[in-house]
Amino acid sequence: MSLLVAGSIATDHLMSFPGRFADSLVVDQLDKLSVSFLVEDLEVRRGGCAANICFGLGNLGLRPVLVGAVGEDFAEYRAWLERHNVDCDSVHVSETRHTARFVCTNDSAHAQIASFYAGAMSESREIELKPIVDRVGAPDFVIIGPDDPQGMLRHTEECRQRGYPFLADPSQQLAFGDGDLIRPLIDGAEILFSNEYEASLITQKTGWSVEEVLSRVGTWVVTLGPAGVRIDRAGEESVVVAAVPEIEKVEPTGVGDAFRAGFLAALSWGLGHERAAQLGCLLAVYVVEQVGTQEYEISRSAFLARCAATYGDEAVADFEPHLQTIRP
Ligand SMILES: Nc1ncnc2c1ncn2[C@@H]1O[C@H](COP(=O)(O)OP(=O)(O)OP(=O)(O)O)[C@@H](O)[C@H]1O
Ligand SMILES: [Mg+2]
């Protein structure tokens, strides 16, 4: 059995300018705008939702299959992911476009000038899942994260047609997509993931009530930030799982992806939704405590100790036989 993780693969290039952009702008010359800022700092971070989720799964000892499109420049990133147990053999490499890139400069007043280049990501619509399944075996799950919208639709459609169980994780694309895109992305999903804000976007844009969404998906997992996560199923009481108290809040970018990685890992170990949410929260808190989305390291003993402190020894007993971290 295999775990396919489809979605964006990207890098973030973050720069900081010690002055203020506003001091360099001549308001009545904006039609001839040409400015260059001498920045102090460049940080390149690995990201993209599918890559982040795969990184988390690899860290827990699974071997997820990354499904997405990149450019020729992916070589170094590929090596990094492979070192973390990610199967990158089915990643589509564009012949003409670079890997998606977010380029952002902040100034000292927190003003921001940024661009997102989707690049090779638009070729994810050319990826067929069947040849990947032929190579790695029938999927336990296919998770379909934010990506080129046409690619997301194609993967979802193929899952429905071939009977692959799929998990819908449209996240950021909910802000851009309309109801006609969102409805087919979530209808029939085993699990729908969103945060609370996205949950309102879903009901608003699809025109479906909460009950109607629940009638179309098996389970709706709604993350609540530091308040943890709520699991909803049609006709059942909601289950709420508390988050893991953070030791230090450094930067929360990527928490959602880490949560999904933990959740999926527990599911593929055959555990129930409550345990899955606990493992998700455990992995997510590691991201809160680091700068960057793929910078955390899990030590098995510390991870299990933290698990015991928050969720008790029974949770540890359920995770321990499966957990294979990179560090002891
Ligand atoms: N400050 C925090 N301390 C501990 N755990 C946190 C904190 N913030 C988030 N988490 C964990 O991460 C999970 C996902 O968080 P959240 O609901 O903010 O996701 P999100 O809005 O999709 O985030 P993003 O898209 O920015 O990654 C939560 O369910 C919780 O377990
Ligand atoms: Mg999110």
Side-chain angles (χ1 to χ4, degrees):
M1 294 297 260
S2 64
L3 203 54
L4 270 54
V5 181
S8 58
I9 304 168
T11 54
D12 294 349
H13 295 238
L14 310 177
M15 285 163 277
S16 36
F17 174 58
R20 286 159 41 102
F21 296 143
D23 296 339
S24 306
L25 301 179
V26 182
V27 174
D28 60 2
Q29 296 286 315
L30 287 181
D31 54 334
K32 301 187 195 74
L33 180 67
S34 168
V35 285
S36 167
F37 300 100
L38 184 63
V39 297
E40 270 188 338
D41 198 42
L42 166 65
E43 207 182 313
V44 179
R45 293 198 200 156
R46 302 176 188 92
C49 293
N52 288 341
I53 295 173
C54 281
F55 177 83
L57 284 161
N59 266 294
L60 296 172
L62 286 102
R63 186 159 175 76
V65 181
L66 179 60
V67 179
V70 298
E72 302 270 9
D73 56 324
F74 182 61
E76 198 188 326
Y77 195 176
R78 177 193 295 270
W80 163 265
L81 289 170
E82 285 176 345
R83 279 203 301 283
H84 290 88
N85 239 359
V86 180
D87 177 338
C88 296
D89 290 353
S90 294
V91 169
H92 167 90
V93 182
S94 168
E95 287 175 7
T96 52
R97 298 178 178 91
H98 293 289
T99 304
R101 187 181 301 189
F102 178 66
V103 180
C104 178
T105 307
N106 282 297
D107 76 0
S108 58
H110 300 287
Q112 189 177 81
I113 299 180
S115 319
F116 180 71
Y117 166 76
M121 202 172 94
S122 61
E123 295 182 21
S124 75
R125 67 184 69 174
E126 294 168 26
I127 300 172
E128 191 188 0
L129 301 178
K130 172 78 166 43
I132 304 175
V133 169
D134 288 345
R135 178 175 73 80
V136 299
D140 280 328
F141 297 108
V142 181
I143 178 163
I144 300 163
D147 201 346
D148 168 54
Q150 292 310 312
M152 296 168 77
L153 277 175
R154 176 176 182 179
H155 300 330
T156 311
E157 201 43 54
E158 189 181 350
C159 286
R160 264 192 293 263
Q161 269 173 17
R162 299 195 195 274
Y164 305 151
F166 69 95
L167 315 183
D169 177 23
S171 311
Q172 294 100 301
Q173 291 296 6
L174 291 166
F176 305 103
D178 57 12
D180 290 338
L181 171 74
I182 298 165
R183 279 185 292 266
L185 289 180
I186 64 183
D187 202 3
E190 296 274 315
I191 298 176
L192 168 61
F193 289 103
S194 72
N195 62 24
E196 263 186 310
Y197 180 74
E198 292 157 354
S200 331
L201 278 178
I202 289 171
T203 47
Q204 218 178 71
K205 291 196 171 186
T206 57
W208 290 337
S209 64
V210 171
E211 291 68 33
E212 198 169 359
V213 173
L214 286 175
S215 73
R216 291 170 186 273
V217 303
T219 303
W220 192 352
V221 176
V222 182
T223 59
L224 313 171
V229 50
R230 192 180 69 234
I231 303 170
D232 289 323
R233 289 171 68 86
E236 291 179 24
E237 289 272 312
S238 298
V239 176
V240 174
V241 170
V244 179
E246 82 241 357
I247 296 169
E248 183 193 10
K249 186 167 175 173
V250 178
E251 192 218 34
T253 313
V255 276
D257 295 335
F259 173 84
R260 284 148 179 76
F263 198 97
L264 279 173
L267 286 190
S268 66
W269 295 341
L271 302 174
H273 288 157
E274 191 172 354
R275 284 280 184 265
Q278 293 170 344
L279 193 60
C281 291
L282 267 163
L283 203 58
V285 80
Y286 278 77
V287 173
V288 177
E289 295 166 355
Q290 296 285 329
V291 175
T293 58
Q294 297 183 25
E295 300 305 322
Y296 59 92
E297 267 191 11
I298 298 169
S299 124
R300 183 183 159 86
S301 48
F303 190 83
L304 290 173
R306 214 161 177 188
C307 177
T310 317
Y311 301 120
D313 293 335
E314 283 176 26
V316 173
D318 284 346
F319 297 145
E320 201 169 12
H322 305 283
L323 186 67
Q324 286 176 28
T325 56
I326 290 165
R327 284 208 293 148

